[in-house]
Amino acid sequence: MRLPPFAYDRPRDLYEALELLNSYGKDCKVLAGGTDLLVRMKQGLVAPTHLVSLKALSELAEIKETGDGLQIGAAVKLSDILAYQPVQDHWPGLFEAVKAIGAPSIQHFSGTIGGNLCQDNRCQFYDQSKFFRAARQTCNKAGGSTCFAWKGGSDKCHSACQSDSAPILIAMDAKVVIKSKNETRTMPLEELYSSVGERPLTLADNEMLTEILVPAPTPGAGTAFEKLAYRSSIDYAMVSAGAFVQTEGGRTTRVRLVIGAVARGPLSIATVEKTLKNRPAGDQQAINEVAIDAMNTAAAFIANNMTQPVEYRTKMVSVIAKRALTRAAERAISQKGFLEAK
Amino acid sequence: MIDDQERNGKKEIMEEFTVIGKRISKVDAVDKATGRALYIQDLKLPGMLYGRILYSKYPHAHIIRVGTEKAKALPGVITVLTGEDIPPVRLGFYKDNPLLKAGKVRSYRDEVAAVAATDPEIAREAISLIDVTYEALPAIFDPEEALKPEAPLVHEEHKTNLLKMPWSLHYGDVEAAKLDAVFNVSERFSTTWVTHCCMGTSGAIADFDHSNNLTVYTNTQIPSLAQKDFQETLKILGVKDKRVRVIKPCIGGGFGSKLDTYAYEHMAILLAWYARRPVKILFEREEEFIATSPRQPTVTYISMGCDKEGRLLYRDMSMVLDNGAYTSWGATTPSVMMMPITSLYRVPNVRYSAKCVYTNNTYSQAMRGYGNPQATFAIESAIDMLAEAAGIDRVEFRRINSNQPGDVTPQGLRITSCGLPECIEAVSKDLEFGRSRENGVGVGLASLIHVGGGARIYKSDGCGTIIKMDDYGKVDVFTGASDMGQGSDTIIAQIVAEELGVQVDDVHVFHQDTDICPWDVGAHASRTTFVAGNSALGAAKKIRLRLLAMASKATGVDEDKLVLRDRAFFVEGKPVLPIAKLLRGSHFTPRGEMMMADNFYDPPNENMGKDFRGNMSATYSFGTHGVRVKVDEATGKVEILDYIAAHDVGRAINPLLLDGQVHGGVLMGVGYALTEQVIMENGRNMNPDFRDYKVLTAMDAIHSKAVVIETIDDQGPFGAKGIGEPGCVPTAPAIANAIYDAIGVRIKDLPITPEKVLAAIKKKNGTVSCGIDAFTQKEQACE
Amino acid sequence: MSREIKFVLNGAQTCVAIEDDWNLLYLLREKLGLTGAKEGCGRGECGACTVIVDGLAVNSCLYFAVEIDGKEVLTIEGLAGADGTLHALQKSFVSNGGIQCGFCTPGMILSAKALLDENPQPTEADIKQALAGNLCRCTGYVQIIESVEAVVDKSSGDINAVVRETGDSD
């Protein structure tokens, strides 16, 4: 099907792009890979009058390693991240997460890391055609006042954040650079997410994610990403988990666990540090404890927003969390990159 | 992969063929590899309009008013039709499905109005401008509930939701056999909707000429019967005695989805009729999911018993099928289910009954196997259970009960060639059923019987062929068969080429056009290689005889000394006369003759009698599938480690295409077993896209090993039997049996999703847990 | 808004007037008459519309036509040589049974080409990964994967040797 008419701009530099965002405001969408946006436009979920393309902005399409870590431009293609040797060597969790996104010929060559982080939340009742949605009341996310995904209804939207890259990047303490015409701010990636289903990002209409900053790898650290889906590609996660484990002398000194696909934003598990700190890395009993914490935390959020049952997804949080933590710990101890670890 | 060496070796001993038995690429493959093949998506006629259908907003409701004023006023809209505007065209063999609904809708899929406009986007907008006022009615979605007296009626005039169909048989004495049986099992199994997911969506173009002759370009597996259906619609429109021509562009997959004619085809005809311009209706993917007919769900109750040696004594089955709101061929699948039920393995006493029930769900259709996958899932799962109850190894149990050549089954199926024992051996040898295994890994097997020599569902099971040859020795074959990707054109070309001593590339097969091609009942029941193949072979034999006679006259050599091969006649190994030269001579001569022959082949099979006895197929195909799975006991995910599919195919006319049918059938079967389901929530399809309808991807592909058992059937063309459907028939029970072997839980409801496996593990262990983590192999309590 | 774009289409400089809201698939099929790329879902879930843009396999249904300005586009129609000689992948799909109904074939072949251009010696896992966005309902992918492997495995000899060239008729 064709799309409703809109105007397309391809600014030549970031400044011009931010100017355009500033002047068009909320009627405007940023177009990076388009693999999420076009589908949502076809479904009539968004109808921007202006699209600002990032295709000509070479400054956003660069990935490089610096002394401070990894700098990834928001418009870097997923396939470029996978091909970047330092990612394979030092950030295996990120490699796994990016590899797990969608399907290569669909997402990897067109889709961008910024697009993956900034994709809208999803729900089986919302991400449907106009025709499909027309048979029901309008839900909270579509501007109405009900939620079909929450048992008994809700005055809040219970969609899920389906970014596969967000959980691991948050677990690695990644920061993002947000720019508008007049301002640049750098903040932890988790602050990009509002945990409001209707409007899941904290970006203002005139703001744009321009860069992702991943801290440099430290000796004794390990990362891992796990995704549970029916099929080996195409699928969104039923549950995903990103884990970061820092060890010293075989003991965990710092650890983060972030669960994806279950809540309105990536879900950081707060108790993980307290439970695992100073324990031997990979201590299964402690990891079990954290995994169950993660499940209990997630249980408050998981809604019927996918076709797979809520109860199953809830239970699986513990298994997926445990696997991510276990593998991150193994990598922390063995100090192997993705390819070696394979 | 196939054991080529073994097969080739066998062939060398038997007969020498030039093209039969060779791995020959498909005759249409180059066109498809270069993007030149034209599908309905690619066709446009001058002045063509674009049609679109408005579907119901309710699963069951009165239609109070259909307001079309705004749609009609939209520039570019040429025609708007509602159920009130058109004569009563009714679809399906049961004629219970009005083309456009007036008065009442019975499912979300019900067609309420249709438009034709100059542009697809205008048509889309016009549809959105049609206001329909409904008054909701109580609806019924569960077929077992629908049978209760208080259930709302889907069709009031029928006075019940039970379709008046006679699906009930009893051969021998099941009750007496139950008393004799030493071991018994009794279980309930269920299957749900799965859909064909043809990569090319449905579509049709209807075009009337000035004299009201109709041409329909459509994706159909039944050109001749479609012609008849369209003719009936014309009659209702008051158009009598006109020609209907059906043209099939390339078909982007069939799998049974195109066995009937559908609303979109008839709607295109009506819109074209009223608009007086060609009209195309092309489904989008969502519409394809919502408005085409899936394989129907079944609830099956089975009990089965054997004596102490493990010989089956009886099989007693009853079934409830969700027919949906209207009736298509899905309602007749019990006729094919009867085949495995009465005749898969030797079982002397059989009882079966099936109830097809109206609900407010989407109406169902046959899909690859025509009911056989549903029936075989229950039978083969129960066979494993019975073998276990009897304490007999499940491979041995199947050996004991295997069908054998010469058997006549209780239904009167005459088993002629039968490679089932060899199939069972091949699978058990390959997967080493006895060997000890690691945790969470198990093996399973399941067998199948399927019609392999046509299936006499209609009065005729026939197919026509016309062959003509030109001045250059090239052959044109006009067949009734329908190639929808499975490769029937190539098989027919091989058969004709072999018989006429020419190359496959000398043979051009036409199947696309009812004005040119002879009659056929359709591409169903894995019948094309057998029936269309025999039809083509018969026509080629007629040509061959004439060629030999003419060549004998021309050369003065006796016919029996002439050998026809390599495009020429040979005498004692030396070429004496090229076919082309002979043909030119026969054309360019006074009182010449034209080389053309026709043949109509109707296989020697029987319609079923009132008691459903009758040898419905001229021969039967057999097979056994074996699978090794690994179950992740923490997530319930099932991984397939090895897969072997052994089939008795009579003869492999083209092993390359045969492999393709088996591999494709197997993965479709794996999807049926593990991931695929149309998720219906009160009649509404909740997953009308490829994200949530889980067709397996290349990353899920299984390198299945296809083993071919050749039994050289007496009736088959060069000994071949049908193989189109069998590949997906025993897959689900083989996997279910392997899961049981791996972790001791039996899943009785398809698909076997991870959550079902996990729930079954929990139930078995009697604990409330997260499952057992694969990392620790330990049970991990959650609460 | 309409505008004019210039790009290289199957090796030929092309200049065409488009609307901003057209996607590449629409431009190719409806305006340029190149119907080899198919619309199987329109939502980037099936891969039937795959074409190659600047060396990468992309879903043309999710690619704005305006964004190919200045780029190089290869569709299935441009894969064979100018004299009609089939590309090795086309030959291999033909001769190894990689094609049944054919609807997914153009996209499948182009995804495989993009893979081989980038990685001439892919493993089976690489091939599966590269084709993971191209759905096929007929083949179970087995012969498709074998078709790609046959091109990779140069040691098996000249690909031409195993192909029935005569299949290239009409």
Side-chain angles (χ1 to χ4, degrees):
Chain A
M1 77 181 276
R2 292 214 308 275
L3 296 168
F6 56 84
Y8 169 92
D9 285 288
R10 182 162 35 178
R12 282 153 301 175
D13 57 38
L14 187 57
Y15 179 79
E16 194 186 328
L18 295 171
E19 279 274 315
L20 289 170
L21 276 191
N22 206 49
S23 55
Y24 296 145
K26 68 174 172 39
D27 298 328
C28 171
K29 286 274 172 202
V30 170
L31 174 66
T35 58
D36 184 51
L37 181 63
L38 250 98
V39 175
R40 289 155 33 70
M41 288 171 72
K42 286 185 177 191
Q43 290 175 328
L45 296 171
V46 287
T49 56
H50 289 82
L51 287 188
V52 173
S53 169
L54 308 184
K55 289 270 160 96
L57 307 185
S58 53
E59 61 257 60
L60 296 191
E62 213 183 328
I63 180 168
K64 63 177 179 225
E65 208 181 356
T66 69
D68 296 333
L70 200 58
Q71 269 183 33
I72 313 174
V76 169
K77 285 191 182 123
L78 300 176
S79 53
D80 292 336
I81 296 178
L82 293 178
Y84 193 60
Q85 193 63 44
V87 171
Q88 296 179 12
D89 293 343
H90 306 310
W91 287 277
L94 179 60
F95 185 89
E96 286 168 337
V98 172
K99 194 163 174 157
I101 296 167
S105 58
I106 303 170
Q107 278 78 21
H108 291 186
F109 299 138
S110 301
T112 63
I113 185 69
N116 188 261
L117 290 171
C118 294
Q119 66 180 287
D120 201 348
N121 280 9
R122 297 185 62 89
C123 172
Q124 64 167 331
F125 296 94
Y126 174 75
D127 287 274
Q128 298 283 0
S129 69
K130 255 185 182 166
F131 162 76
F132 185 102
R133 284 177 285 129
R136 292 176 194 266
Q137 277 174 274
T138 313
C139 73
N140 292 321
K141 190 161 175 61
S145 55
T146 186
C147 177
F148 302 109
W150 200 250
K151 212 174 166 190
S154 171
D155 58 355
K156 277 201 295 267
C157 166
H158 292 268
S159 56
C161 173
Q162 279 289 359
S163 169
D164 282 336
S165 62
I168 187 67
L169 284 168
I170 292 173
M172 294 188 301
D173 290 334
K175 290 190 167 60
V176 285
V177 179
I178 309 289
K179 285 189 174 163
S180 66
K181 188 185 166 194
N182 302 318
E183 199 190 346
T184 296
R185 56 193 178 111
T186 302
M187 63 185 190
L189 171 59
E190 55 207 294
E191 289 175 21
L192 180 64
Y193 299 100
S194 65
S195 285
V196 176
E198 289 87 342
R199 196 187 161 92
L201 300 181
T202 55
L203 290 179
D205 288 331
N206 67 343
E207 283 184 323
M208 190 199 300
L209 167 67
T210 59
E211 215 168 21
I212 299 105
L213 307 171
V214 186
T218 45
T223 56
F225 174 78
E226 274 286 333
K227 173 173 175 171
L228 182 67
Y230 274 17
R231 291 179 294 187
S232 311
S233 78
I234 299 186
D235 284 2
Y236 286 105
M238 288 186 255
V239 179
S240 69
F244 171 90
V245 175
Q246 176 71 57
T247 61
E248 229 180 277
R251 291 193 174 264
T252 303
T253 54
R254 206 156 53 79
V255 55
R256 284 200 78 174
L257 173 67
V258 182
I259 308 297
V262 296
R264 298 184 290 267
L267 190 64
S268 286
I269 305 302
T271 56
V272 63
E273 180 105 7
K274 201 181 88 200
T275 312
L276 293 186
K277 200 168 175 177
N278 299 326
R279 291 278 193 95
D283 176 336
Q284 286 298 290
Q285 206 192 332
I287 287 177
N288 276 352
E289 213 177 296
V290 172
I292 289 161
D293 266 355
M295 181 183 68
N296 291 334
T297 310
F301 294 95
I302 300 184
N304 184 27
N305 48 30
M306 296 188 85
T307 50
Q308 290 78 29
V310 167
E311 194 199 312
Y312 177 70
R313 285 168 66 203
T314 308
K315 299 276 185 201
M316 284 307 101
V317 171
S318 66
V319 176
I320 297 308
K322 175 176 179 174
R323 290 182 181 184
L325 281 170
T326 305
R327 209 169 54 249
E330 278 167 11
R331 285 189 179 138
I333 295 163
S334 70
Q335 288 298 289
K336 281 181 183 158
F338 177 74
L339 294 177
E340 295 165 87
K342 246 199 338 190
Chain B
M1 287 314 306
I2 294 184
D3 199 340
D4 281 313
Q5 251 178 342
E6 191 176 307
R7 195 186 313 153
N8 290 340
K10 200 170 175 183
K11 201 169 332 161
E12 272 162 32
I13 300 162
M14 292 182 322
E15 264 175 284
E16 257 187 57
F17 294 119
T18 54
V19 290
I20 296 295
K22 302 284 189 282
R23 299 179 80 83
I24 289 175
S25 52
K26 266 159 60 80
V27 294
D28 53 352
V30 170
D31 271 356
K32 288 173 173 174
T34 52
R36 291 159 83 178
L38 294 179
Y39 298 79
I40 190 74
Q41 279 74 9
D42 308 322
L43 299 187
K44 268 184 197 171
L45 299 181
M48 187 175 85
L49 301 175
Y50 296 85
R52 207 171 164 84
I53 296 168
L54 174 68
Y55 297 96
S56 172
K57 271 194 178 183
Y58 290 85
H60 199 192
H62 286 304
I63 302 173
I64 306 300
R65 182 181 176 276
V66 184
T68 58
E69 303 78 7
K70 278 185 275 180
K72 281 178 175 158
L74 187 71
V77 172
I78 308 296
T79 305
V80 180
L81 297 176
T82 72
E84 305 288 344
D85 304 327
I86 64 166
V89 176
R90 297 174 87 84
L91 308 177
F93 74 96
Y94 221 54
K95 298 292 168 214
D96 58 2
N97 185 9
L99 175 55
L100 283 175
K101 278 63 179 174
K104 182 172 144 168
V105 287
R106 298 174 185 84
S107 73
Y108 278 112
R109 178 188 166 181
D110 276 29
E111 299 82 2
V112 175
V115 303
T118 51
D119 176 281
E121 300 308 317
I122 295 173
R124 182 194 311 279
E125 195 185 341
I127 284 292
S128 73
L129 292 175
I130 298 174
D131 293 319
V132 188
T133 315
Y134 297 94
E135 186 184 278
L137 290 167
I140 185 85
F141 305 107
D142 180 313
E144 290 184 295
E145 293 293 316
L147 287 173
K148 294 183 176 161
E150 67 276 13
L153 289 174
V154 179
H155 294 267
E156 287 82 0
E157 63 277 22
H158 288 250
K159 303 206 167 52
T160 164
N161 288 323
L162 177 65
L163 273 80
K164 291 174 188 63
M165 291 188 167
W167 310 126
S168 171
L169 61 76
H170 189 172
Y171 306 138
D173 188 338
V174 165
E175 291 305 329
K178 282 185 180 178
L179 297 176
D180 293 342
V182 179
F183 303 104
N184 297 277
V185 290
S186 198
E187 197 47 84
R188 176 189 191 273
F189 294 90
S190 78
T191 66
T192 189
W193 294 275
V194 292
T195 188
H196 310 78
C197 292
C198 303
M199 292 312 298
T201 54
S202 304
I205 302 173
D207 182 25
F208 286 92
D209 73 7
H210 189 69
S211 314
N212 291 335
N213 296 305
L214 171 66
T215 301
V216 182
Y217 301 78
T218 186
N219 289 333
T220 185
Q221 299 178 224
I222 47 157
S224 303
L225 300 186
Q227 193 182 23
K228 187 164 153 274
D229 285 358
F230 300 153
Q231 195 65 261
E232 274 177 42
T233 290
L234 289 193
K235 211 165 105 190
I236 294 166
L237 284 173
V239 187
K240 292 196 179 96
D241 202 25
K242 295 295 177 189
R243 298 165 55 86
V244 171
R245 179 181 188 184
V246 175
I247 296 178
K248 284 174 291 174
C250 269
I251 296 179
F255 316 115
S257 62
K258 297 156 176 75
L259 279 186
D260 204 346
T261 55
Y262 294 95
Y264 70 89
E265 293 166 301
H266 294 268
M267 208 60 250
I269 295 171
L270 262 75
L271 288 168
W273 173 252
Y274 289 105
R276 304 307 302 162
R277 282 165 71 172
V279 173
K280 177 175 187 173
I281 295 182
L282 180 66
F283 277 7
E284 290 175 349
R285 181 53 63 183
E286 179 181 42
E287 201 172 6
E288 184 78 10
F289 272 109
I290 288 170
T292 64
S293 290
R295 178 185 284 163
Q296 71 279 53
T298 56
V299 176
T300 303
Y301 296 88
I302 180 170
S303 56
M304 209 158 42
C306 64
D307 64 18
K308 67 178 193 308
E309 279 83 36
R311 279 189 297 267
L312 286 172
L313 293 182
Y314 71 92
R315 187 179 287 155
D316 192 5
M317 290 174 73
S318 68
M319 246 185 225
V320 177
L321 284 77
D322 187 339
N323 191 58
Y326 303 101
T327 307
S328 181
W329 298 116
T332 68
T333 54
S335 66
V336 172
M337 294 178 179
M338 288 173 177
M339 174 187 47
I341 288 168
T342 63
S343 308
L344 176 58
Y345 304 115
R346 289 170 157 177
V347 51
N349 302 290
V350 188
R351 184 162 58 191
Y352 171 59
S353 67
K355 291 174 176 164
C356 298
V357 186
Y358 280 128
T359 64
N360 295 109
N361 292 317
T362 186
Y363 74 91
S364 51
Q365 176 56 277
M367 176 174 161
R368 206 172 195 171
Y370 213 96
N372 199 340
Q374 297 99 307
T376 300
F377 175 58
I379 295 168
E380 276 289 13
S381 296
I383 288 274
D384 254 32
M385 295 168 67
L386 187 57
E388 189 182 22
I392 298 172
D393 171 74
R394 55 216 160 116
V395 178
E396 182 57 26
F397 192 85
R398 286 174 170 85
R399 275 191 205 113
I400 292 168
N401 290 291
S402 175
N403 305 91
Q404 302 289 344
D407 284 357
V408 177
T409 78
Q411 202 188 354
L413 310 189
R414 293 194 289 277
I415 308 299
T416 51
S417 61
C418 172
L420 182 57
E422 292 91 325
C423 291
I424 295 171
E425 282 321 305
V427 166
S428 65
K429 202 174 97 194
D430 193 81
L431 286 183
E432 300 168 72
F433 273 71
R435 92 170 185 186
S436 61
R437 293 179 281 274
E438 56 176 305
N439 255 350
V441 173
V443 286
L445 81 166
S447 298
L448 80 105
I449 180 174
H450 200 64
V451 287
R456 191 163 295 265
I457 297 158
Y458 307 95
K459 284 269 189 311
S460 171
D461 194 16
C463 174
T465 308
I466 300 167
I467 299 182
K468 77 175 177 64
M469 293 186 79
D470 69 10
D471 280 348
Y472 309 98
K474 303 287 184 201
V475 187
D476 289 318
V477 180
F478 305 90
T479 175
S482 289
D483 195 331
M484 50 210 170
Q486 84 279 39
S488 58
D489 282 0
T490 309
I491 300 297
I492 289 166
Q494 282 180 266
I495 287 171
V496 171
E498 185 69 49
E499 192 62 19
L500 296 182
V502 297
Q503 305 291 310
V504 168
D505 301 306
D506 296 329
V507 182
H508 191 180
V509 181
F510 291 85
H511 73 270
Q512 294 88 350
D513 188 337
T514 55
D515 265 15
I516 298 168
C517 298
W519 190 85
D520 175 65
V521 294
H524 60 248
S526 303
R527 67 185 281 279
T528 300
T529 292
F530 189 94
V531 179
N534 267 327
S535 176
L537 182 61
K541 279 185 195 294
K542 289 182 187 175
I543 298 255
R544 181 188 172 88
L545 287 176
R546 285 183 59 199
L547 284 173
L548 281 168
M550 284 161 60
S552 173
K553 214 169 124 191
T555 58
V557 179
D558 283 352
E559 279 181 38
D560 55 7
K561 295 220 163 54
L562 287 168
V563 175
L564 182 52
R565 64 175 167 91
D566 296 340
R567 301 170 170 167
F569 295 91
F570 285 70
V571 179
E572 288 166 0
K574 292 201 181 66
V576 293
L577 177 64
I579 296 174
K581 197 171 170 193
L582 177 73
L583 288 168
R584 280 198 294 278
S586 78
H587 292 154
F588 288 96
T589 188
R591 292 176 303 279
E593 51 182 316
M594 176 179 75
M595 191 51 63
M596 183 150 132
D598 64 73
N599 186 45
F600 187 72
Y601 175 78
D602 197 9
N605 49 15
E606 303 163 3
N607 283 119
M608 293 189 290
K610 280 219 171 83
D611 59 355
F612 297 104
R613 280 197 173 86
N615 190 38
M616 73 165 91
S617 185
T619 186
Y620 298 87
S621 297
F622 294 89
T624 303
H625 288 198
V627 59
R628 175 175 285 114
V629 302
K630 183 172 178 24
V631 183
D632 181 333
E633 293 177 65
T635 63
K637 273 192 78 168
V638 175
E639 186 190 349
I640 294 187
L641 302 177
D642 294 298
Y643 201 102
I644 172 167
H647 290 270
D648 162 18
V649 303
R651 181 194 295 282
I653 289 186
N654 185 331
L656 182 72
L657 272 59
L658 174 58
D659 287 355
Q661 287 304 303
V662 173
H663 294 314
V666 166
L667 199 68
M668 193 179 266
V670 174
Y672 188 48
L674 297 179
T675 60
E676 290 183 35
Q677 56 180 324
V678 175
I679 299 169
M680 288 280 192
E681 190 193 88
N682 293 335
R684 168 167 288 274
N685 183 327
M686 289 301 293
N687 55 341
D689 55 59
F690 285 132
R691 288 234 179 247
D692 288 327
Y693 186 89
K694 311 284 187 189
V695 170
L696 294 172
T697 73
M699 286 178 79
D700 307 296
I702 296 156
H703 204 107
S704 47
K705 179 171 173 181
V707 173
V708 172
I709 308 290
E710 292 193 316
T711 51
I712 316 300
D713 190 78
D714 280 346
Q715 299 283 339
F718 295 99
K721 308 197 266 194
I723 189 63
E725 296 162 287
C728 73
V729 171
T731 317
I735 291 172
N737 289 342
I739 292 170
Y740 181 81
D741 187 46
I743 55 170
V745 299
R746 180 160 294 287
I747 312 294
K748 298 157 196 156
D749 308 291
L750 295 184
I752 306 171
T753 53
E755 61 269 20
K756 280 186 200 162
V757 174
L758 204 66
I761 293 172
K762 276 199 270 179
K763 199 170 157 197
K764 178 187 161 224
N765 294 343
T767 56
V768 183
S769 77
C770 294
I772 302 150
D773 196 291
F775 279 86
T776 59
Q777 307 294 343
K778 279 185 201 146
E779 209 176 277
Q780 177 200 321
C782 292
E783 269 94 4
Chain C
M1 193 179 109
S2 32
R3 69 177 79 212
E4 202 166 79
I5 57 168
K6 288 198 182 74
F7 65 108
V8 177
L9 176 59
N10 296 331
Q13 277 291 343
T14 305
C15 182
V16 59
I18 60 150
E19 296 290 330
D20 281 353
D21 51 275
W22 290 1
N23 63 53
L24 177 55
L25 181 63
Y26 178 80
L27 171 65
L28 292 171
R29 287 181 57 84
E30 303 297 326
K31 300 296 166 184
L32 300 174
L34 296 173
T35 55
K38 304 295 181 200
E39 179 162 299
C41 71
R43 286 173 47 177
E45 293 165 358
C46 79
C49 66
T50 303
V51 300
I52 296 182
V53 176
D54 283 357
L56 299 176
V58 301
N59 278 222
S60 61
C61 78
L62 296 186
Y63 209 101
F64 283 116
V66 56
E67 304 236 287
I68 59 162
D69 194 16
K71 290 186 158 58
E72 219 171 298
V73 177
L74 179 73
T75 72
I76 194 71
E77 289 89 348
L79 188 59
D83 62 352
T85 309
L86 297 184
H87 183 274
L89 274 166
Q90 289 173 311
K91 287 179 187 169
S92 189
F93 270 67
V94 168
S95 59
N96 289 302
I99 300 169
Q100 286 190 32
C101 89
F103 203 85
C104 74
T105 305
M108 200 67 84
I109 289 178
L110 290 174
S111 282
K113 181 181 189 298
L115 168 72
L116 296 187
D117 287 350
E118 198 227 326
N119 174 8
Q121 295 293 322
T123 62
E124 186 184 318
D126 294 336
I127 295 169
K128 285 181 167 184
Q129 166 93 3
L131 302 180
N134 295 78
L135 294 180
C136 166
R137 190 56 156 168
C138 298
T139 64
Y141 306 99
V142 174
Q143 290 175 323
I144 288 175
I145 294 164
E146 286 171 358
S147 297
V148 181
E149 282 172 339
V151 175
V152 174
D153 187 12
K154 294 286 197 311
S155 62
S156 72
D158 181 6
I159 186 74
N160 296 306
V162 297
V163 175
R164 267 173 62 250
E165 278 288 351
T166 38
D168 312 8
S169 63
D170 51 73

